Amino acid sequence: MNQERSVNSVVVEKNPRTVSPRAVLGIVAVGVLLSSLDLFIVNIALPEIAADFAGSEISGLSWVLNAYAIVFAALLVPAGRLGDRSGSRTTFLIGLGVFVLGSALCSVAWNTGALVAFRVLQAVGAAVLTPSSLGLVLAATPPERRAMAVRLWVAFGGLGAALGPVLGGLLVEVHWRWVFLVNVPIGIVALVVGLRLLPNPAGDGGRLPDLFGALTLIGSVAAFILALVKGEDWGWVSAGVLGGFAGAVALAVAFVMSSRAHRSPVVDPALLRLPNFALMIGNALLFNIAFAGMLLSAVLWAQQVWGWSALRTGLAIAPGPLVVPIVAVLAGRLIAKLGVGSVIAAGGIVFAAGILWWAAAITLTPDYVGGLLGGMLVTGLGVGLTMPTSFAAGTAALPPQRFATGSAVLSMARQFGLAIGVAVFVAVLGSPAGPDATLEAYRHGWYVIAGAAVLAGLAGSAARMPRPVSAS
């Protein structure tokens, strides 16, 4: 039988077992939460790491953040294709094991170079486990319940990203090494339970993914994000930044050409023709630009303008993300009544309203309830309506043997949005002189964030929930 299967072929589980979808979601949510958390939790610990590593500067330690983000985003799609080929269970457990090992090594790092290297190992594990985790959830969940399962899966990732500053502040009170060490016992428990309980859906058994295409994709993503994160330091019109963007475009063109020619492309072009998929890529990109700008602006305002500590800032942000999983669950009723496109559009508008709340209400004098809290709760409502719903709409028409790859493409769009959002907000903010100029600069940044959220809602408004593809 030909090893190459069409995008609509059926995958049969190896050694089928009856496993509760809730148990599968609970196990993989641990990995998703930890990997998402580590995108943001380390920000709080950088000053303490610099003090512990004699002679280290914050500028040099920024690679502790950048290396993780670049590798994580660049490897998502190749890792998703590997999961589809080899089986999501094996790939998820390997990724979780690598992530736990990287976390343990980060906790004993002796200098900046070692810490950056171990963060790269962490990111490899996170990239491998993330798309396969959704593949497992979709494989274990009946087609009619997959939309809810996906909304919960996304909610865990969003919760980890937004709660990073809170947990980071708490753990740094003990020691910065606990930011990494806390992942180890939790990850080991998830590994042991996962080995016993996770289902084992078979891979598609096809050829290995296009090696050249995978390398050009990694290079394109890495060059693009590197140019973004270094734009402020090097200058947006410097040779390094312009060269990074040019290299990203050239490698992206090479990737597209390779994907069209290869018999086993990393990203099957047929995915882009599935209902909602291309629309949800656009929504994920735009909405996460807004989400990243929102989170960064709240942290910077509380710490730099109001002079709050990292821990107090994290606790002040917490109410927003706590709203997300509640809304993600309740959104199912709205989707049934209004349709998926209307809920995504409403989420973008609500999120923008929360940002405009800040632009109108926040003052230079600390006023948490009247200023920050209201906007944080409203943006949390917008996140809960948009992120889980758009991801569910984007993955609903995926055939079973493309669960991991398809989710990886959407996840990569989210990571691009996060990187762009940070870079855009920093560029708009600039270096204002004086309190009044600072307030005006933040307002301009908030207007840009609100605009991105509205555009994200428009991009998702045309979505219609298709009939899920059954694995049998």
Side-chain angles (χ1 to χ4, degrees):
M1 185 176 67
N2 188 358
Q3 284 185 314
E4 294 299 317
R5 307 183 185 184
S6 73
V7 76
N8 291 316
S9 63
V10 174
V11 173
V12 180
E13 182 178 338
K14 299 181 293 184
N15 303 320
R17 67 186 77 181
T18 302
V19 185
S20 166
R22 292 182 179 180
V24 174
L25 179 61
I27 295 167
V28 303
V30 173
V32 173
L33 186 64
L34 292 178
S35 62
S36 178
L37 193 66
D38 266 55
L39 276 168
F40 299 94
I41 194 172
V42 182
N43 290 271
I44 297 295
L46 284 184
E48 285 72 19
I49 296 173
D52 208 16
F53 292 157
S56 296
E57 298 290 339
I58 293 294
S59 59
L61 283 170
S62 66
W63 280 103
V64 175
L65 307 175
N66 297 342
Y68 188 94
I70 290 170
V71 174
F72 183 47
L75 291 183
L76 274 170
V77 175
R81 183 66 189 93
L82 180 64
D84 282 333
R85 179 184 183 275
S86 304
S88 294
R89 177 179 181 270
T90 299
T91 308
F92 172 79
L93 293 174
I94 290 174
L96 183 57
V98 171
F99 181 83
V100 170
L101 175 61
S103 299
L105 292 173
C106 284
S107 71
V108 298
W110 53 90
N111 59 30
T112 302
L115 184 55
V116 170
F118 296 148
R119 283 283 282 172
V120 168
L121 185 63
Q122 256 194 325
V124 171
V128 171
L129 74 86
T130 298
S132 294
S133 68
L134 184 57
L136 287 168
V137 171
L138 293 173
T141 306
E144 67 275 9
R145 295 171 55 191
R146 284 179 188 155
M148 173 62 76
V150 172
R151 289 198 298 272
L152 290 174
W153 183 87
V154 176
F156 276 110
L159 189 63
L163 287 179
V166 182
L167 296 182
L170 290 170
L171 292 171
V172 166
E173 291 293 316
V174 182
H175 196 280
W176 68 263
R177 295 185 185 274
W178 276 97
V179 168
F180 304 105
L181 192 59
V182 71
N183 296 331
V184 176
I186 299 173
I188 289 175
V189 171
L191 272 172
V192 173
V193 176
L195 283 168
R196 292 175 57 86
L197 295 182
L198 286 177
N200 194 20
D204 60 19
R207 295 172 179 265
L208 284 171
D210 173 18
L211 178 60
F212 177 74
L215 291 175
T216 55
L217 177 64
I218 292 171
S220 177
V221 175
F224 186 76
I225 296 180
L226 176 63
L228 283 175
V229 298
K230 299 303 291 183
E232 188 71 14
D233 294 337
W234 293 351
W236 290 103
V237 295
S238 66
V241 170
L242 294 179
F245 285 131
V249 172
L251 289 168
V253 171
F255 168 71
V256 171
M257 294 176 63
S258 184
S259 295
R260 289 180 174 178
H262 201 277
R263 294 179 63 186
S264 182
V266 175
V267 180
D268 192 332
L271 290 175
L272 300 177
R273 296 190 291 271
L274 294 175
N276 296 332
F277 196 77
L279 282 175
M280 294 306 100
I281 290 176
N283 174 267
L285 180 70
L286 289 166
F287 192 81
N288 279 277
I289 289 174
F291 178 77
M294 177 276 294
L295 189 59
L296 178 64
S297 67
V299 170
L300 291 180
W301 182 270
Q303 289 188 343
Q304 296 185 355
V305 180
W306 285 353
W308 288 3
S309 68
L311 179 57
R312 187 178 182 183
T313 298
L315 293 173
I317 291 172
L322 289 176
V323 171
V324 174
I326 300 172
V327 176
V329 173
L330 298 178
R333 298 180 182 179
L334 285 176
I335 293 171
K337 292 182 178 180
L338 304 177
V340 65
S342 297
V343 172
I344 294 173
I349 294 172
V350 169
F351 187 95
I355 297 299
L356 294 177
W357 178 311
W358 286 350
I362 281 186
T363 62
L364 295 171
T365 302
D367 181 8
Y368 177 61
V369 175
L372 191 62
L373 178 60
M376 187 60 66
L377 291 172
V378 176
T379 56
L381 175 60
V383 172
L385 290 172
T386 300
M387 281 191 180
T389 307
S390 65
F391 217 94
T395 56
L398 289 174
Q401 72 277 14
R402 290 295 179 266
F403 283 160
T405 301
S407 67
V409 174
L410 293 172
S411 295
M412 188 177 69
R414 292 171 61 189
Q415 299 307 317
F416 266 105
L418 292 173
I420 295 170
V422 169
V424 168
F425 183 80
V426 170
V428 173
L429 185 62
S431 301
D436 292 336
T438 298
L439 178 58
E440 193 64 23
Y442 271 87
R443 282 176 175 161
H444 289 159
W446 286 325
Y447 294 147
V448 171
I449 294 170
V454 171
L455 289 176
L458 292 175
S461 62
R464 299 292 182 269
M465 187 63 78
R467 184 181 298 276
V469 180
S470 175
S472 59

